[in-house]
Structure formats: structure tokens, C-alpha cells
Amino acid sequence: MTDIRWGILGAAKFARQHLAPAIHAARQSRLAVLGTSDPAKAAPFRAIESTMRVVDSYDAVLADPEVDAVYIPLPNTLHVEWTRKALEAGKHVLCEKPIAMRADEIDALIALRDQTGLVAAEAYMIVHHPQWQQVRDWVQGGAIGDLLRVNATFTYDNSGDPANIRNTVDLGGGSLPDIGVYTLGCTRFVTGQEPERILYADIRRENGVEVTTEALAQFDGFTLTSLTSMRMTPHQNVTFHGSAGVIEVVTGFNPQVHGHAEVRLALPGQPTQIVQFPGVNHYVLQIEAFGAAVRGEPAYPCPLEFSQGTQAFIDMIWGAEK
């Protein structure tokens, strides 16, 4: 297999802005088919890839013999269903996060992945960015001594967009499903550890939708404070505070959109070491890593088991609500 021929289920805004351009830019990948019943929504995708074909249903994408892999940017509550359908149709699957609403839902997807021998993964792009690989090397290499505390914040404000699916209970809305995967998952990725228990969880809702969550989690030797919100000024920052230094990730989750990719290592009595990553696109790196896994090259660096661990963490926070 040379180029991976991609199909996209639905003309979602995120797919239009980020993943379709990434597929187009990635090596050995091609956007082949878009499933949408609205020709007007297909036009921006055709501007990205003029040879792309449009079919009028998701099932038609899955039935297309010229599609090797599908990207699923559907509402959260549809992710498990369409990931299953795509695997059963013989397609490799990259599904938007969260791939499931509960950790136990991922068991069946792991079993189906193993049964079919196909690649199935959550589109958790930050682990492909070299800034997070640098932070992981620093922390696990002892650059800041013993890790004592992580503070992770990711906020934005969509209060003016009540029709947004993130503000809809029935579609799996909420800040934890949308961006909690980043504050919680990045901590697991960097440290290689799992949370032991939730010490505190303040969950705030509007019209039944969780809009802000602040949680304190105990790990082995350190704590994580995670703040996610869909009702606060846009901001993101992560710090890893150790016994011998501090690491700061300035724009950890969507560099080139919110800010630039930069990590800082501050050690007492030394100049702060600053590492920047201009021009790095983690969506392109994600597509290239997925294609490599499909071709039997290095294994995909973010398997479903990792995604299940993050969802289990979210489930723990839900369970700790007062």
C-alpha cells in the first residue's frame, strides 16, 4: 500500500479546518471521499482536494472500495457506533475524542480491532507533538527531581453558542468529554502513571450540561489539579512542579491556534531553558503516524488502551461528584 485513501464521515467544522488539510498535507495520504448530503458543505473540502468524491451517506463511505481508512468527527455519542461499523466494513479508523462516553464501551472496540487486525485509534493529537515528547523525557529523566504536582488548565467560552453540540446533553456535551481528555491525558502520557483516587471534584452544570470542572487527583507521589471550562476566557497552561525544578508548557493543546508551542525548564540558579517548535502541525504528524501503522511500520503511539485509561479517569471524576 502506498497512499492511504481517506474517507470522512460528515462535513464537520473541525474536519474542514484541521483534519482534511492535515490529510492533504501528510505524506502518503489522500482525501478520497466525503460523506455528506449537503453539497454546499462539501465545497470547502473540494477546495482542499479537488479530486475528492462526495457521497450522500456515511454508509456509502464505508462501502466504498477506494477508501482504506475513515476519520470520524461525529457527535460524541455516535463515536462507538460508527467506529464499530467502520471496522466491520474493513476500514481502519481514526475517531475524534472522546472515542466513547464510558471506559467500558471501549472494550468491544479493542476486541474488534484485534479480531480484524485493523488500526483503530482516538484522534488524540497532542502525543504526536514533539513538545510533549520533550516534556515526557524531562520528567521521566529526572530533570526536575521528584514530581510533586501537576497543574493543568484548558478553558474557552462557548456560552454564546447554545446550539453547539458541546452544550447538548444528548450529544455527549460538556467540558470534560471535550477537553478533559487533554488535561488528564497529558498527565498520564508524561508520567506514565494512573490516578489512584479523586480527592475533590467541583462539577458545575447549566441546563444539565457540565460546563466547568475542577478536580484534584492523587497519583503515586504527586497530585494533579485539572481545570476545564466552556464558560471562561480562553486559556491553556500546564506546569509540572518537581523537587528540583519546574516545567511549563505554554500552549499545550492547540498551538498555532491559541498560541505558539513552547516548553520551559526552570532550575534554581540557572537560566530558564526554552524550547520552541515553530511550524510543527500535530494533526499532520498524527495522520502520518496513523498511515505508518496501517502500512505495518511503527505501532501507533496512542492505542485504544491509552484512550480507555483517560476515559476511566474521567469516569472517576464523574463518580466523585458531590
Side-chain angles (χ1 to χ4, degrees):
M1 182 182 296
T2 54
D3 288 356
I4 306 299
R5 300 167 298 180
W6 285 87
I8 298 179
L9 303 190
K13 178 181 177 181
F14 189 85
R16 181 181 76 244
Q17 292 183 336
H18 297 291
L19 263 293
I23 291 170
H24 182 70
R27 294 170 294 177
Q28 295 185 273
S29 290
R30 179 168 62 86
L31 178 54
V33 178
L34 173 69
T36 179
S37 58
D38 187 343
K41 290 184 177 180
F45 289 84
R46 277 212 172 99
I48 297 167
E49 179 52 73
S50 61
T51 64
M52 181 198 74
R53 292 180 291 110
V54 179
V55 295
D56 63 3
S57 72
Y58 305 152
D59 286 317
V61 176
L62 300 187
D64 196 311
E66 296 186 7
V67 170
D68 304 307
V70 296
Y71 167 63
I72 302 175
L74 300 174
N76 294 343
T77 50
L78 298 178
H79 288 175
V80 169
E81 174 188 356
W82 284 97
T83 297
R84 175 183 55 78
K85 287 182 176 180
L87 288 170
E88 290 173 345
K91 310 301 184 185
H92 304 280
V93 183
L94 183 65
C95 180
E96 259 313 315
K97 49 78 189 166
I99 198 168
M101 301 306 298
R102 301 189 314 275
D104 59 8
E105 294 180 314
I106 303 177
D107 288 331
L109 300 182
I110 291 174
L112 191 54
R113 175 203 65 188
D114 293 346
Q115 174 188 332
T116 60
L118 296 164
V119 178
E122 182 181 68
Y124 191 63
M125 73 291 185
I126 70 168
V127 299
H128 304 279
H129 201 294
Q131 69 172 347
W132 284 106
Q133 296 159 11
Q134 176 66 77
V135 173
R136 180 183 58 185
D137 290 346
W138 276 340
V139 170
Q140 296 193 17
I144 57 171
D146 295 328
L147 180 63
L148 303 174
R149 182 173 184 269
V150 181
N151 187 72
T153 298
F154 194 2
T155 62
Y156 62 88
D157 186 358
N158 69 358
S159 58
D161 186 12
N164 191 298
I165 62 173
R166 295 167 184 82
N167 286 317
T168 305
V169 173
D170 293 342
L171 296 178
S175 80
L176 269 180
D178 187 38
I179 53 179
V181 295
Y182 297 121
T183 58
L184 308 179
C186 77
T187 303
R188 296 179 56 247
F189 176 74
V190 166
T191 65
Q193 292 193 35
E194 302 295 343
E196 297 177 341
R197 60 193 177 108
I198 305 302
L199 302 173
Y200 169 83
D202 179 15
I203 299 175
R204 304 167 212 173
R205 288 182 166 83
E206 293 179 8
N207 301 316
V209 179
E210 173 267 321
V211 296
T212 298
T213 292
E214 187 165 15
L216 177 64
Q218 179 69 57
F219 285 73
D220 182 14
F222 71 93
T223 57
L224 161 67
T225 300
S226 167
L227 171 65
T228 59
S229 180
M230 307 189 301
R231 296 294 185 269
M232 299 175 71
T233 300
H235 179 67
Q236 55 187 269
N237 187 270
V238 185
T239 57
F240 296 83
H241 199 146
S243 60
V246 175
I247 296 167
E248 180 183 11
V249 188
V250 177
T251 308
F253 308 125
N254 56 358
Q256 299 185 0
V257 176
H258 181 79
H260 62 279
E262 177 178 303
V263 293
R264 303 170 181 171
L265 173 61
L267 303 176
Q270 300 182 32
T272 298
Q273 182 177 343
I274 299 175
V275 184
Q276 297 180 333
F277 304 86
V280 174
N281 186 314
H282 50 195
Y283 299 114
V284 173
L285 295 177
Q286 174 180 247
I287 294 297
E288 292 182 344
F290 190 92
V294 168
R295 288 187 292 271
E297 297 168 16
Y300 194 67
C302 188
L304 288 177
E305 287 83 355
F306 179 86
S307 301
Q308 187 172 45
T310 298
Q311 186 58 50
F313 197 170
I314 293 174
D315 292 350
M316 289 173 65
I317 294 174
W318 293 135
E321 183 177 10
K322 301 298 184 183

